[in-house]
Amino acid sequence: MTDRNDRPVPGADGLRARVGEARDALGRTAEEFAGEAGPGGRAREKAAELKDRAGERTTEAKDRVQERAEEAKDRAQEKTAEVRDRAQEKAAELKDRTREKTAGAGDRAQEAAGEARTRIAGAARALGEKVQDRTPEPVREGTGRAVEAVRGRPGVFLAAGAAVLVAVLVARRRRGRC
C-alpha cells in the first residue's frame, strides 16, 4: 500500500514500533521537565548559565589581551623603525663628517707636498749653483759634454752614474772614511 505521495504505508508492526519510540521520547521529555522543575534541575540550569557567561567573559578577555598584544607589537615595530632611522641618519652624518675631514686632510697633504717640492727645488738649485761656482771650468766642460752624450739614452746615463758612484766610494775608502 502507498499513500498519496507514493510512499509505502507501514504495516501494524511498523506502526507499533513507531508508537513505542514516540512513548519513549515523551517519557524522556517528561523526565527532563520534571528534573528541571526541581531544585537540582534549577541548579544545573544556573550552573550551565554561569558556565556560558564565564566562557563568554573568557573569550572577551582573551580578545582584549590579543588586541593589546597587537597594539604593543605595533608600537614596538614603530619604535624599532624610529631607532633604525635615527641610527641610519647618525651614520650618514658621521660618514659625511669623515668624508669632509678626509678631503681636508688630502688637501692639506697636497699643499704640504707642493711646498716641499718648491723648497727641494730651491735647495737643489742653490746647491747646483754652489757646485757650479766651485767647480773648475775644465771639469764643467767635461761634465757638459758627458751630459750631452748621455741625453736620450738612459742606459748610458745609469752606467755613468754607477761608475761615478764607484769612483766616489773608492776615493772615500782610500781616505779611510768607509
Side-chain angles (χ1 to χ4, degrees):
M1 258 205 226
T2 59
D3 64 359
R4 289 186 215 169
N5 295 327
D6 289 331
R7 286 183 291 183
V9 176
D13 290 333
L15 288 175
R16 280 191 202 107
R18 279 179 144 180
V19 168
E21 289 173 8
R23 276 190 198 141
D24 288 340
L26 282 174
R28 280 190 300 250
T29 305
E31 286 175 7
E32 288 174 10
F33 282 131
E36 289 176 8
R42 276 186 247 134
R44 277 191 295 273
E45 191 176 295
K46 191 71 169 174
E49 186 180 312
L50 290 173
K51 180 180 171 188
D52 289 344
R53 262 194 273 159
E56 290 172 5
R57 287 183 181 163
T58 301
T59 302
E60 290 172 5
K62 181 178 134 190
D63 291 345
R64 279 194 304 268
V65 167
Q66 278 183 321
E67 286 175 19
R68 288 182 182 154
E70 291 282 332
E71 290 171 1
K73 177 182 155 193
D74 292 343
R75 283 193 303 268
Q77 286 176 338
E78 289 172 5
K79 291 289 183 186
T80 301
E82 289 175 13
V83 168
R84 183 187 61 235
D85 292 345
R86 277 187 282 177
Q88 287 175 342
E89 289 173 8
K90 291 287 185 184
E93 288 174 14
L94 286 173
K95 186 177 178 182
D96 290 343
R97 275 191 253 146
T98 303
R99 190 177 296 133
E100 290 170 5
K101 288 181 179 180
T102 304
D107 293 344
R108 287 189 300 273
Q110 285 180 344
E111 202 173 292
E115 290 174 11
R117 257 193 312 269
T118 304
R119 279 187 287 198
I120 290 171
R125 211 173 298 116
L127 181 62
E129 289 172 3
K130 281 183 183 179
V131 167
Q132 204 168 26
D133 289 346
R134 293 185 181 163
T135 305
E137 185 63 34
V139 173
R140 275 191 287 186
E141 287 176 13
T143 305
R145 283 192 305 260
V147 167
E148 288 299 321
V150 173
R151 195 168 276 165
R153 293 189 272 168
V156 174
F157 180 70
L158 289 175
V164 169
L165 180 63
V166 168
V168 169
L169 289 175
V170 168
R172 287 182 118 196
R173 189 168 204 179
R174 284 188 182 157
R175 288 186 199 158
R177 289 187 181 173
C178 282

